[in-house]
């Protein structure tokens, strides 16, 4: 049996860390990639030898629908092209769990499939919601996957002031994929993956 975290303490610490990222001044960020609908920025992470990425774009749907598609659950596997499996290992409360998920290979399999075990927490934030997570040092490993590690990451989703039926979605991601991959390959993949995430999410919501 794994030693599970103190959920309340971890949830509070995680939420506070994400709010700190959300309040960083604009000049701390450098644009990594931009499309008509989504902008990706990055800055050196304070957690590991890689980048903290920030993603922002408008999604044509209500906050609750958007977050229901992002947080752990059956919706996520249906549309997220990178995710190949998702299991809830432990439920603390309705908005708090430990999940294990796997991702497909990327960049023509230069980045091989990965496995993550994350603590996930969803909480109200201003007029919207924050869904955030952090990886746990889970001892049970599967040999066919490299175990990656998500440093504090999350998605803020709030209604657009001028159009409350649409949502402003802002994400903060800092993933250590581990294994023998050049960091430059990871950085290239991450910016593109985040752009695709918005496109895939919008398509799934239009079908819902």
């Amino acid at each position: 049996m794994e030693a599970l975290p103190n959920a309340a303490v971890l949830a509070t610490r995680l939420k506070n860390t994400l709010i700190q990222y959300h309040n960083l001044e604009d000049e701390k960020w450098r644009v990594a990639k931009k499309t008509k609908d989504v902008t990706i920025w990055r800055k050196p992470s304070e957690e590991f030898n890689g980048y903290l990425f920030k993603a922002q774009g408008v999604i044509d749907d209500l906050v609750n629908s958007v977050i229901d598609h992002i947080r752990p659950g059956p919706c996520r596997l249906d549309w997220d092209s990178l995710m190949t499996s998702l299991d809830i290992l432990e439920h603390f409360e309705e908005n708090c769990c430990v999940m294990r998920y796997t991702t497909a290979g990327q960049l023509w399999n230069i980045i091989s499939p990965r496995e993550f075990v994350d603590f996930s927490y969803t909480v109200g934030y201003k007029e919207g919601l924050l869904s955030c997570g952090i990886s746990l040092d889970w001892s049970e490993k599967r040999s066919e996957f490299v175990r990656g590690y998500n440093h504090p990451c999350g998605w803020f989703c709030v209604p657009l002031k001028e159009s409350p039926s649409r949502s402003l979605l802002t994400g903060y991601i800092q993933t250590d994929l581990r294994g023998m991959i050049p960091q430059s390959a990871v950085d290239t993949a991450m910016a593109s993956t985040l752009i695709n995430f918005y496109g895939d999410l919008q398509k799934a919501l239009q079908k819902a």
Side-chain angles (χ1 to χ4, degrees):
M1 180 66 190
E2 300 282 349
L4 289 167
N6 180 321
V9 171
L10 187 53
T12 302
R13 199 165 65 224
L14 184 57
K15 179 183 84 169
N16 291 341
T17 300
L18 265 297
I19 289 169
Q20 273 182 332
Y21 296 159
H22 206 41
N23 291 332
L24 284 169
E25 301 91 347
D26 289 347
E27 60 266 20
K28 301 267 190 211
W29 299 98
R30 193 160 71 78
V31 173
K33 194 157 187 165
K34 193 169 185 171
T35 67
K36 182 167 67 74
D37 302 312
V38 183
T39 304
I40 313 295
W41 297 265
R42 71 183 195 187
K43 69 178 284 299
S45 170
E46 293 176 11
E47 301 284 343
F48 78 119
N49 184 28
Y51 285 100
L52 168 62
F53 284 86
K54 174 182 177 179
Q56 190 169 76
V58 172
I59 300 287
D60 290 324
D61 214 321
L62 299 167
V63 166
N64 282 12
S65 300
V66 175
I67 291 295
D68 275 346
H69 276 68
I70 290 176
R71 66 174 159 195
C75 279
R76 183 69 184 262
L77 261 185
D78 283 347
W79 66 268
D80 190 336
S81 56
L82 198 58
M83 208 174 261
T84 51
S85 73
L86 189 158
D87 300 295
I88 306 294
L89 301 179
E90 186 79 28
H91 259 298
F92 296 104
E93 295 163 27
E94 196 184 331
N95 62 344
C96 220
C97 70
V98 174
M99 65 168 177
R100 175 167 55 203
Y101 69 94
T102 55
T103 59
Q106 299 174 68
L107 286 184
W108 305 282
N109 240 27
I110 293 170
I111 300 173
S112 61
R114 292 296 193 268
E115 175 187 64
F116 297 85
V117 176
D118 285 9
F119 173 81
S120 175
Y121 176 54
T122 302
V123 64
Y125 174 79
K126 297 192 173 173
E127 325 69 65
L129 290 165
L130 163 64
S131 184
C132 49
I134 185 170
S135 285
L136 302 174
D137 289 317
W138 202 257
S139 59
E140 182 203 331
K141 289 186 169 73
R142 292 183 285 189
S143 58
E144 65 269 35
F145 295 101
V146 175
R147 173 68 62 79
Y149 192 93
N150 286 312
H151 295 279
C153 56
W155 296 92
F156 290 87
C157 192
V158 294
L160 270 187
K161 286 189 171 61
E162 63 277 16
S163 177
S165 62
R166 303 168 79 210
S167 302
L168 181 67
L169 182 64
T170 309
Y172 298 89
I173 306 293
Q174 48 187 342
T175 301
D176 185 352
L177 289 174
R178 298 181 170 170
M180 305 299 290
I181 319 167
Q183 191 60 43
S184 58
V186 175
D187 298 336
T188 302
M190 191 60 75
S192 300
T193 296
L194 286 166
I195 296 275
N196 292 341
F197 181 93
Y198 277 80
D200 289 347
L201 175 57
Q202 185 65 75
K203 279 184 209 138
L205 287 161
Q206 281 163 351
K207 281 186 202 156

